[in-house]
């Protein structure tokens, strides 16, 4: 049944038909966006899975290298060497657009200095620090990818709700209202036709009655 506020006029019928056309076009665009977002999301999920495995393996290797360095240098010497780093890191955060979703892009740079005091470090510690730097780059990318996943998932859910609202609420209700108005206008048209025929019949009868 159509809503009680529907006004069964031709102007309202024209307005609803335009609204239905716009809703169907918007529904198609949103479905296309949702499908493309899902494709992008699955690509990011696969990248996240690969990065996470790479980071876990890199952390194991870096930890093993630090264990070797600590055993050769002694924990106190290792701590002293790491307490005065000679290399600094700068981090820049920007964004890129994926289907109208702004996702983060992390970029870091290190200067060309030494990791630590070269008088205290050995080859083992240098190797461990190199491994940690490599893992840090992967960890930063992993953080970027996971935030991208979160933002894409939120937009997919928002787009899905809008698609469902159009598909299961707005479009069916508009179609129902159009059918209701069309039926009412047809009924009015038939009623007017019937009345005109009766009037015509009465006029003809009166004309025949008053003929000389």
């Amino acid at each position: 049944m159509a809503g009680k506020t529907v006004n069964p006029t031709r102007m309202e019928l024209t307005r609803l038909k335009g609204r239905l056309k716009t809703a169907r076009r918007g529904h198609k665009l949103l479905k296309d966006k949702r499908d493309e977002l899902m494709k992008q999301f699955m690509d990011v999920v696969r990248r996240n899975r690969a990065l996470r495995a790479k980071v876990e393996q890199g952390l194991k290797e870096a930890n093993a290298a630090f264990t070797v360095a600590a055993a050769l240098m002694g924990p106190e010497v290792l701590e002293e060497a790491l307490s005065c780093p000679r290399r600094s890191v700068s981090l820049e955060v920007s964004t890129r657009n994926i289907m109208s979703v702004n996702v983060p892009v992390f970029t870091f740079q290190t200067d060309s200095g030494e990791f630590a005091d070269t008088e205290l470090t050995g080859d083992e510690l240098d190797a461990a620090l190199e491994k940690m730097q490599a893992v840090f780059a992967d960890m930063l990318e992993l953080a970027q990818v996971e935030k991208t996943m979160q933002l894409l998932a939120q937009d997919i859910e928002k787009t899905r709700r809008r698609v469902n609202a159009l598909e299961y609420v707005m479009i069916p209700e508009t179609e129902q209202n159009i059918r209701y108005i069309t039926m009412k206008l047809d009924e009015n048209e038939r009623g007017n036709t019937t009345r005109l025929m009766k009037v015509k019949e009465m006029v003809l009868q009166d004309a025949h009655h008053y003929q000389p």
Side-chain angles (χ1 to χ4, degrees):
M1 180 180 295
K4 294 181 180 180
T5 58
V6 174
N7 189 16
T9 63
R10 294 195 180 278
M11 183 178 296
E12 180 69 7
L13 180 62
T14 300
R15 188 187 72 83
L16 287 177
K17 285 183 177 179
R19 184 182 181 187
L20 179 62
K21 183 178 179 181
T22 301
R24 284 173 173 167
R25 184 167 59 247
H27 178 258
K28 182 181 184 304
L29 291 174
L30 285 172
K31 281 188 68 176
D32 291 343
K33 178 184 178 181
R34 181 197 62 190
D35 294 343
E36 181 60 26
L37 279 171
M38 283 299 302
K39 179 178 178 297
Q40 295 284 343
F41 179 77
M42 294 309 299
D43 289 342
V44 176
V45 167
R46 284 189 287 269
R47 179 59 180 161
N48 178 76
R49 187 179 297 118
L51 270 174
R52 183 168 290 279
K54 185 178 180 182
V55 166
E56 290 177 354
Q57 180 62 31
L59 287 174
K60 288 180 181 179
E61 293 178 359
N63 184 61
F66 275 111
T67 301
V68 172
L72 294 175
M73 299 173 60
E76 295 80 8
V77 177
L78 177 62
E79 183 177 353
E80 183 179 355
L82 295 176
S83 64
C84 300
R86 302 292 182 87
R87 180 174 293 187
S88 62
V89 177
S90 62
L91 175 65
E92 295 181 1
V93 181
S94 58
T95 60
R96 67 187 181 98
N97 190 285
I98 300 179
M99 298 298 295
S100 301
V101 181
N102 290 323
V103 300
V105 177
F106 300 147
T107 306
F108 85 99
Q109 292 181 341
T110 59
D111 61 23
S112 57
E114 297 296 332
F115 285 112
D117 191 337
T118 55
E119 295 181 0
L120 297 174
T121 61
D123 293 338
E124 293 78 11
L125 181 55
D126 288 339
L129 291 171
E130 290 287 352
K131 288 182 180 295
M132 183 55 70
Q133 182 182 18
V135 173
F136 179 75
D138 291 333
M139 290 175 67
L140 195 62
E141 185 180 356
L142 180 61
Q144 172 185 307
V145 167
E146 290 192 339
K147 186 61 178 178
T148 298
M149 283 175 53
Q150 178 188 353
L151 294 173
L152 288 178
Q154 290 174 353
D155 205 68
I156 288 171
E157 178 61 21
K158 181 174 69 175
T159 304
R160 185 189 65 81
R161 288 197 300 267
R162 294 174 66 187
V163 168
N164 289 344
L166 286 170
E167 185 171 347
Y168 298 110
V169 180
M170 182 178 176
I171 290 177
E173 284 185 355
T174 304
E175 290 174 337
Q176 191 174 28
N177 288 336
I178 288 174
R179 288 193 296 269
Y180 170 76
I181 293 176
T182 301
M183 180 188 68
K184 287 295 184 182
L185 291 175
D186 288 344
E187 288 179 357
N188 293 339
E189 187 69 24
R190 287 193 297 270
N192 290 335
T193 301
T194 301
R195 284 192 294 273
L196 287 173
M197 291 178 63
K198 287 183 178 181
V199 170
K200 180 180 179 180
E201 183 180 351
M202 292 173 61
V203 169
L204 290 175
Q205 287 178 353
D206 289 343
H208 179 74
H209 178 73
Y210 287 107
Q211 282 183 354

